[in-house]
Amino acid sequence: MTRTQILSALIAAAPLAGCAMPAPQSASPSAATPQEAFWQALSSHCGKAYAGGLASTDARDADWAGKRMVAHWAACDEARVAIAFHVADPEAPAGWNRSRTWIVTRSGEGAATRFTLKHDHRHDDGEADAVTFYGGTSTDAGNAGAQDFPVDGESVALFTREGLDASLTNVWRVEVDPAAQADARFVYQLTRRNDPTRLFRVEFDASTPIAAPPAAWGW
């Protein structure tokens, strides 16, 4: 084969060799941080309300047992989710205690994101309770389905002032599944670092929305 024939053969084969090369792979998107996934799950329920009840059996919460409860995502924006907690109570106006709202806010970005849980307690005239806006801030990334909130210094000072010494080591927890999940749940829980027997836990069926209740007191 002449030199010219060899060059012609190599040129003809070049496109075929190019076709045999694997196509470049695009970079896979980075997975969402646990904080991002948690916030997406929490926010997916905005505007919805769910029925629930007491799931723990601590004797200290006997007055809560068997009562109907509703969690209502009453207000949401990019940095705050407010969930009104309604409890059936025959002694309250219109048969419902609407005094409590859980407020979850986020700050920071990416892996540095942290969440704060505060409890807004009001009277039926909308005035703030003497014990209100207490809570804590997450101290780590948590996970996509749950975040823990150890009591903060501001709340410790409030509890001390009000003589609520049992609450000085509170740790609150919020657990949530995305609204699209078939068996989605929402959970609010309280434990105490100095009392391993303390457990207050309410669970809601977050897969089946119900009619939204009236606004929480003061909202």
Side-chain angles (χ1 to χ4, degrees):
M1 181 178 290
T2 67
R3 181 178 179 182
T4 301
Q5 289 173 321
I6 292 172
L7 289 174
S8 297
L10 289 174
I11 292 170
L16 296 177
C19 291
M21 294 176 63
Q25 299 295 314
S26 59
S28 59
S30 59
T33 64
Q35 297 98 314
E36 289 170 340
F38 174 82
W39 191 254
Q40 290 169 7
L42 190 68
S43 300
S44 70
H45 299 281
C46 286
K48 297 182 174 66
Y50 304 103
L54 185 68
S56 51
T57 58
D58 193 322
R60 286 166 281 192
D61 304 316
D63 290 346
W64 295 76
K67 289 187 174 180
R68 291 179 294 155
M69 301 178 186
V70 174
H72 176 217
W73 273 246
C76 299
D77 58 39
E78 292 184 356
R80 185 186 75 155
V81 172
I83 304 169
F85 177 40
H86 304 260
V87 181
D89 182 351
E91 297 182 3
W96 284 87
N97 183 320
R98 308 188 192 279
S99 65
R100 304 172 181 87
T101 300
W102 300 315
I103 302 175
V104 182
T105 56
R106 65 171 176 171
S107 60
E109 297 181 357
T113 299
R114 293 294 180 264
F115 301 102
T116 296
L117 170 68
K118 290 291 185 176
H119 300 71
D120 185 349
H121 283 191
R122 311 280 187 100
H123 297 284
D124 59 351
D125 61 0
E127 290 297 314
D129 190 83
V131 181
T132 189
F133 229 70
Y134 58 85
T137 298
S138 60
T139 58
D140 54 33
N143 63 65
Q147 295 286 331
D148 291 323
F149 306 90
V151 64
D152 59 25
E154 178 184 26
S155 303
V156 167
L158 171 63
F159 293 149
T160 301
R161 185 191 76 203
E162 297 296 325
L164 301 173
D165 294 344
S167 299
L168 298 181
T169 62
N170 280 3
V171 179
W172 297 274
R173 166 173 280 216
V174 170
E175 300 174 14
V176 64
D177 296 316
Q181 186 169 309
D183 57 350
R185 290 187 314 158
F186 171 71
V187 173
Y188 168 91
Q189 177 178 290
L190 166 68
T191 57
R192 288 182 176 138
R193 293 192 300 268
N194 68 339
D195 183 357
T197 68
R198 184 64 178 123
L199 175 62
F200 174 80
R201 183 179 175 91
V202 290
E203 299 182 358
F204 300 86
D205 177 2
S207 67
T208 307
I210 63 172
W217 297 338
W219 283 76

